[in-house]
Amino acid sequence: MKKMLAAAVSRVLSGVAQKPASRVLVASRNHCNDATFEIKKCDLYRLEEGPPVTTVLSREDGLKYYRMMQTIRRMELKADQLYRQKFIRGFCHLCDGQEACCVGLEAGINPTDHVITSYRAHGLCYTRGLSVRAILAELTGRRGGCAKGKGGSMHMYAKNFYGGNGIVGAQGPLGAGVALACKYKGRKEVCLALYGDGAANQGQIFEAYNMAALWKLPCVFVCENNLYGMGTSAERAAASTDYYKRGHFIPGLRVDGMDVLCVREATRFAADYCRSEKGPVVMELQTYRYHGHSMSDPGVSYRSRQEIQNVRSKSDPIMLLRDRMANSKLATVEEFKEIDVEVRKAIDDAAHFATTDPEPPLEELGHHIYCDNPPFEVRGASQWIKFKSLS
């Protein structure tokens, strides 16, 4: 079993420049406007050609990706702190370590495209346009939250973003439904339906594959393979861990999910494939989560602390982008430090709001059940308590 786990971790690390995190970067006052980088070749299934193996990164985009990934990292660490302080209750699933996935996916699609995911949703909420303040306030159940404090960690929404779904694997068929709407309206839009390696064995995922293939729906099924489900490794839970081949009759590709540029180019390729009316694609992102499955999982009973530290020191997505940009003179160390300071302050300000904003009043419990219905009565905890539903 230890050999199997070591092989799985090595796949995450393979193809990535394995340099120590403490490497000293040389600062320069002069910077370039763009640079060309080699990226890891994707493994392909039922595809003759795949994404490119080189890509151009502009200074502007690089700094934007760095700020976004650093914001997601700090936001998740702050959520960890707020959970331990009991400001956040219930379920809470953090995505630190997987920042290249959500940022790279967003960089590869259009704002008018659609995204639906599982309960590990905070990073995608941010890349889809929600503010850190709205996300953290939702986590703490406050009125200023993106769902008015009534959705919590697992149910957050934004424009063209449909959650945050608590039922394991349910976002698969829901995403296929969104893709059906895209095809019906004829707007050349696509839907990304994300699920984890643990949900990949759900029957409804395969039902969604079948329907999407039959109707040639513009859906990219994205498996975020972080090597572990809820307390166990993928090797122990799945007879085949080649998740990109699981579509059987659907083309697939396996991507280095720790490299934001690799994820961006693969997402562009998959989205273009769907837009050309060729049908769905299965895309596996090989990534890694630093926290446990949820806040109730310490994350070290089924893997070692050394393994986590090994990934942090060699394949951290933020470190990899920073190193690339600094060594190609796209940015200086001082610029990254300035961004880090700004991000920390913004996260602290958002956390202060999330812990001081009032909770929604009880009389609003029935509000916003539907978006445009006339008011109607909603029964409360007992038949004698009634609430008014307002849109």
Side-chain angles (χ1 to χ4, degrees), residues 57-229:
L57 175 66
S58 69
R59 167 180 160 82
E60 180 182 359
D61 283 346
L63 290 174
K64 180 175 72 173
Y65 300 159
Y66 179 84
R67 183 183 292 273
M68 293 178 75
M69 288 199 292
Q70 194 67 274
T71 298
I72 294 168
R73 174 72 56 84
R74 292 296 168 189
M75 178 177 69
E76 295 295 68
L77 294 178
K78 181 60 70 172
D80 173 289
Q81 179 184 342
L82 294 174
Y83 193 95
R84 296 176 191 279
Q85 294 172 342
K86 297 187 175 2
F87 284 109
I88 298 174
R89 301 297 186 101
F91 296 101
C92 186
H93 304 79
L94 305 180
C95 70
D96 49 318
Q98 301 183 200
E99 294 87 357
C101 295
C102 43
V103 174
L105 288 168
E106 185 63 34
I109 59 175
N110 302 324
T112 52
D113 290 325
H114 309 265
V115 179
I116 186 169
T117 188
S118 67
Y119 38 73
R120 201 178 305 280
H122 307 160
L124 284 164
C125 289
Y126 178 72
T127 58
R128 283 270 89 183
L130 290 177
S131 67
V132 176
R133 172 181 284 210
I135 295 169
L136 289 182
E138 188 59 40
L139 290 176
T140 57
R142 309 303 172 116
R143 283 197 320 199
C146 57
K148 310 297 183 185
K150 295 182 286 187
S153 175
M154 298 167 71
H155 303 98
M156 294 194 237
Y157 309 93
K159 184 174 177 59
N160 296 335
F161 177 67
Y162 310 92
N165 290 267
I167 305 301
V168 176
Q171 65 275 20
L174 289 173
V178 174
L180 175 60
C182 292
K183 183 173 183 177
Y184 183 82
K185 292 181 177 181
R187 296 176 180 170
K188 295 294 183 181
E189 297 168 354
V190 303
C191 179
L192 306 185
L194 285 83
Y195 56 95
D197 52 280
N201 301 317
Q202 287 280 321
Q204 56 193 326
I205 295 292
F206 295 92
E207 294 180 61
Y209 286 168
N210 185 61
M211 294 170 68
L214 278 173
W215 298 339
K216 293 190 180 300
L217 301 181
C219 187
V220 183
F221 294 99
V222 183
C223 177
E224 288 185 294
N225 177 13
N226 57 31
L227 305 182
Y228 297 95

Side-chain angles (χ1 to χ4, degrees), residues 238-291:
S240 170
T241 56
D242 289 335
Y243 296 103
Y244 71 111
K245 297 180 179 179
R246 291 283 197 94
H248 185 56
F249 36 76
I250 299 176
L253 60 160
R254 182 160 59 190
V255 184
D256 179 3
M258 304 299 274
D259 181 354
V260 66
L261 300 183
C262 197
V263 176
R264 182 187 71 177
E265 295 307 312
T267 305
R268 284 176 177 170
F269 172 86
D272 289 344
Y273 183 95
C274 291
R275 283 188 228 281
S276 62
E277 301 182 357
K278 295 178 181 177
V281 176
V282 177
M283 184 166 68
E284 175 188 346
L285 303 180
Q286 289 194 311
T287 184
Y288 199 84
R289 55 170 167 79
Y290 295 155
H291 269 83

